Amino acid sequence: MSEAEDRKPRSDEARATYDPEITSEFAVPEGLAVARTGGESETTSEFSRPRGLEGAQAEAEPEGSAFDRPRTYGVKDAPSAFTPASGAPMIALVTDAPWQDRMRTMLRMPVAERPAPEPVARAEDEGPAVPRVLDLTLRIGELLLAGGEGAEDVEAAMFAVCRSYGLDRCEPTVTFTLLSITYQPSLVEDPVTASRTVRRRGTDYTRLAAVFRLVDDLTDAEAQVSLEEAYGRLAEMRRNRHPYPGWALTLASGLLAGAASVLVGGDVIVFVAAALGAMLGDRLAWLCAGRGLPEFYQFTVAAMPPAAIGVAFSLAHVDVKASAVITGGLFALLPGRALVASVQDGLTGFYITAAARLLEVMYFFVGIVVGVLTVLYFGVQIGGGLNPDTVPSISSRPVVQIVASMVLSLTFAVLLQQERSTVLWVTLNGGVAWSVYGALHHTAGISPVASTAVAAGLVGLFGQLLSRYRFASALPFTTAAIGPLLPGSATYFGLLSIAQSEVDKGLVSLAKAVSLAMAIAIGVNLGAEISRLTLRIGSAGKRRAAKRTRGF
């Protein structure tokens, strides 16, 4: 080849073939002619059918291709590999069951096995935009999680909202502070994911009940709630004030502590002293909250006044049960709601959320321990005659104890900002819980842990049945009812023994308190699960979640 011919401009194919600057292994080899297609195809999904498999070429594809059925496949004599030995389970959901039961059943199924939603005519012609539906779903989940609802019920609510607007291929994920949801229209389309962080928590069961009613209306095909209407109702829930003012909450905390002191053997003087100490601690906690201090310090400060009043009675040699005063003040601070939610999340397989909730309970409990132990230590040092071996006599006044337990549950319901229509039910539930505990422990002589578990199981059972009857959350019917069962006495005597340098005895008492708390949480969850056994929910014949926690 001459030097002039080397200087001639080469064609694009020649450059692609002979240009020495191209060193990529994907360059076109020499001598191979490739037709120009104008760019790479946009369809690169692994689920798409490759070119050349249409028509007769598809039939010529060798057996074993991922895109074609085997040659031996037939409708009448299908291979056993495509059908389980027991047959394909039929999914038949009961339409009149509460939405949380139906959604929980579907969440426990794989996406491919979930029944397709029935087409529902919405007010919008083309349906709402997917990002707006996901945003509404996350906002509803945020209110539920911030209100103390369990992670599984939050996921069920989020799935119900998406499904009500036609987004059936969605996967909600709930952790302690983060909510996320992913919607994938099909196997070959890109998924849409949105998330929201829960930064502020508050106890308002009235707002929680309003959110449940909204989700119930969204899942009702006859309600026809548009997206704009749902946003409006959600904004109204956020703007509404709490049903009880601040002074009512402070008074309720005082009555709760007074009722708890009577529950452990106190008299009228003890009732008044415990109520004053709890109200003073509540006001100090409000002051700390207004200054922006974390909840750990709020619990520490709130635990000091009842302990200080009990130490003052001991130093003044007043013939009252100082231990009952301090125990009553502890009842208003023990985080029973967070404990039940943490154990419920752990038992349903949400281990990250359960661990975070348990860590929160531990911090609250440590704050209470620091506040009470500080006061008791200085009281013992200056000559306070507190006796950790004094066991309150509470079995001789059953009628008084039952009335006190009902008052405790009622005031606890007020502190939780419950609707007035649920206060009576939870008050009766608390009275039943204490009656069962007293009959088993004080009359039958059964251990306190077992008696507490049985009583808490009845609380969970009745609370779940009441919530299904009213199509509402079970928390307003169970959380306040477990108040009389909280281990206030065991906690106090454990701290007092530690303050008097009897560490071994104190740790034993604190271990008893932890055992009672776990018995309450497990009993409530077990009672709720027993109630679901009697409900007609509809499933695939098995509860799929049972296989999720066996480790294989």
Side-chain angles (χ1 to χ4, degrees):
M1 184 180 294
S2 63
E3 183 178 355
E5 290 178 347
D6 290 340
R7 290 195 296 266
K8 289 182 181 180
R10 296 170 180 165
S11 63
D12 294 338
E13 291 81 357
R15 287 196 184 100
T17 305
Y18 298 104
D19 197 341
E21 295 181 358
I22 299 179
T23 58
S24 172
E25 59 182 325
F26 299 100
V28 180
E30 182 178 355
L32 179 63
V34 180
R36 297 177 60 84
T37 58
E40 185 181 358
S41 174
E42 295 181 357
T43 304
T44 58
S45 172
E46 60 186 78
F47 300 100
S48 60
R49 181 187 293 272
R51 292 187 178 184
L53 292 182
E54 292 83 0
Q57 293 182 0
E59 297 179 358
E61 180 72 20
E63 185 174 338
S65 172
F67 302 98
D68 281 309
R69 293 174 294 186
R71 296 177 180 177
T72 58
Y73 180 82
V75 177
K76 296 183 179 180
D77 51 351
S80 59
F82 289 88
T83 304
S86 58
M90 294 296 294
I91 310 299
L93 296 178
V94 179
T95 56
D96 58 350
W99 61 265
Q100 51 265 49
D101 290 328
R102 291 185 282 116
M103 298 303 112
R104 187 185 294 110
T105 302
M106 283 189 289
L107 278 175
R108 290 168 177 169
M109 303 178 188
V111 179
E113 298 182 11
R114 294 174 185 170
E118 298 180 0
V120 178
R122 290 289 176 181
E124 298 84 358
D125 295 333
E126 299 180 356
V130 172
R132 296 199 67 197
V133 175
L134 298 185
D135 179 70
L136 176 67
T137 302
L138 291 173
R139 292 178 183 274
I140 290 177
E142 179 189 9
L143 288 180
L144 292 176
L145 187 62
E149 193 63 67
E152 188 176 29
D153 289 332
V154 175
E155 281 195 359
M158 295 172 64
F159 184 72
V161 175
C162 286
R163 190 177 174 84
S164 64
Y165 287 104
L167 308 184
D168 58 316
R169 298 182 62 88
C170 62
E171 287 292 341
T173 303
V174 176
T175 58
F176 186 58
T177 57
L178 182 64
L179 299 169
S180 64
I181 186 166
T182 300
Y183 169 68
Q184 189 170 10
S186 64
L187 291 175
V188 297
E189 294 183 67
D190 294 333
V192 181
T193 303
S195 62
R196 192 174 182 88
T197 303
V198 180
R199 301 188 182 278
R200 185 176 181 181
R201 301 178 182 273
T203 304
D204 190 343
Y205 282 0
T206 300
R207 181 180 296 174
L208 190 69
V211 177
F212 262 73
R213 285 193 293 269
L214 173 60
V215 178
D216 187 43
D217 292 340
L218 288 174
T219 55
D220 189 0
E222 300 178 357
Q224 295 293 318
V225 180
S226 63
L227 192 64
E228 297 299 331
E229 183 181 353
Y231 266 110
R233 290 176 59 176
L234 200 61
E236 185 179 357
M237 294 175 199
R238 291 182 175 273
R239 288 194 301 265
N240 284 349
R241 300 182 60 184
H242 298 302
Y244 305 102
W247 63 267
L249 299 180
T250 301
L251 180 62
S253 64
L255 292 177
L256 190 153
S261 65
V262 174
L263 201 64
V264 294
D267 52 12
V268 178
I269 300 178
V270 172
F271 178 91
V272 175
L276 291 177
M279 288 190 289
L280 180 58
D282 181 77
R283 287 292 91 191
L284 291 176
W286 276 96
L287 181 61
C288 294
R291 300 296 181 182
L293 289 178
E295 286 185 297
F296 175 86
Y297 301 105
Q298 297 176 27
F299 274 82
T300 302
V301 172
M304 287 183 175
I309 293 178
V311 172
F313 279 153
S314 177
L315 292 174
H317 301 286
V318 180
D319 190 15
V320 296
K321 292 184 177 180
S323 61
V325 177
I326 302 175
T327 301
L330 291 179
F331 267 84
L333 299 175
L334 294 177
R337 173 180 58 89
L339 177 66
V340 172
S342 63
V343 175
Q344 179 181 357
D345 289 341
L347 294 177
T348 53
F350 294 85
Y351 301 116
I352 297 178
T353 307
R357 289 186 189 271
L358 282 176
L359 187 62
E360 181 188 40
V361 170
M362 186 191 72
Y363 272 104
F364 291 163
F365 188 75
V366 170
I368 297 172
V369 168
V370 170
V372 175
L373 198 57
T374 301
V375 176
L376 292 180
Y377 177 78
F378 284 105
V380 171
Q381 295 300 317
I382 61 179
L386 298 171
N387 187 7
D389 295 328
T390 303
V391 179
S393 177
I394 61 178
S395 60
S396 59
R397 302 182 300 172
V399 178
V400 176
Q401 308 302 324
I402 293 175
V403 173
S405 66
M406 297 176 67
V407 173
L408 193 153
S409 298
L410 187 148
T411 53
F412 203 174
V414 174
L415 288 176
L416 294 173
Q417 303 281 1
Q418 291 189 197
E419 291 181 309
R420 292 178 174 86
S421 59
T422 64
V423 171
L424 176 61
W425 294 106
V426 74
T427 301
L428 295 176
N429 203 5
V432 171
W434 181 258
S435 300
V436 173
Y437 171 80
L440 293 176
H441 179 54
H442 300 294
T443 304
I446 301 177
S447 67
V449 176
S451 303
T452 301
V454 173
L458 289 178
V459 168
L461 175 62
F462 294 154
Q464 198 68 228
L465 294 178
L466 287 171
S467 68
R468 293 304 182 266
Y469 174 74
R470 298 174 62 94
F471 280 75
S473 172
L475 287 180
F477 300 99
T478 57
T479 304
I482 64 173
L485 304 176
L486 293 176
S489 298
T491 303
Y492 162 69
F493 287 118
L495 298 179
L496 181 59
S497 298
I498 294 176
Q500 294 181 344
S501 300
E502 299 179 359
V503 180
D504 294 338
K505 185 184 296 185
L507 292 179
V508 170
S509 185
L510 290 179
K512 178 183 177 181
V514 173
S515 301
L516 293 174
M518 295 298 293
I520 293 173
I522 296 176
V524 170
N525 182 266
L526 181 60
E529 293 296 331
I530 291 175
S531 69
R532 293 193 182 102
L533 295 178
T534 62
L535 298 175
R536 294 172 60 249
I537 300 174
S539 63
K542 293 182 179 180
R543 181 174 178 176
R544 300 296 180 89
K547 295 182 179 180
R548 183 176 55 189
T549 57
R550 293 180 182 174
F552 57 85

